[in-house]
């Protein structure tokens, strides 16, 4: 597995994990609770902490 962090102004927003099953994006818990936080995509809202290819949300 390979993890790639996603940052906004030096704050961790989410991590993309690549595996044989496909990519998975997991929002950082601190980011989800931060004032002014926003989802990285409107199709991946905060209603779920992670999103994957096998099902939505992951």
């Amino acid at each position: 597995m390979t993890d790639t962090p996603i940052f906004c102004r030096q704050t961790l927003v989410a991590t993309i994990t690549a595996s044989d099953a496909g990519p998975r994006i997991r929002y950082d818990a601190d980011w989800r609770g931060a004032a002014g936080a926003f989802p990285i995509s409107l199709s991946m809202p905060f209603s779920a902490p992670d999103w994957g290819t096998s099902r939505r949300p992951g």
Side-chain angles (χ1 to χ4, degrees):
M1 271 195 258
T2 302
D3 291 343
T4 303
I6 300 170
F7 291 93
C8 177
R9 297 187 179 112
Q10 300 180 340
T11 300
L12 181 62
V13 172
T15 302
I16 301 173
T17 301
S19 70
D20 291 339
R24 177 170 302 277
I25 297 175
R26 177 174 296 271
Y27 284 112
D28 182 74
D30 290 339
W31 175 255
R32 290 180 72 206
F38 53 87
I40 57 174
S41 171
L42 295 178
S43 65
M44 294 183 288
F46 286 151
S47 60
D50 66 38
W51 295 84
T53 57
S54 61
R55 57 190 172 117
R56 294 185 73 184

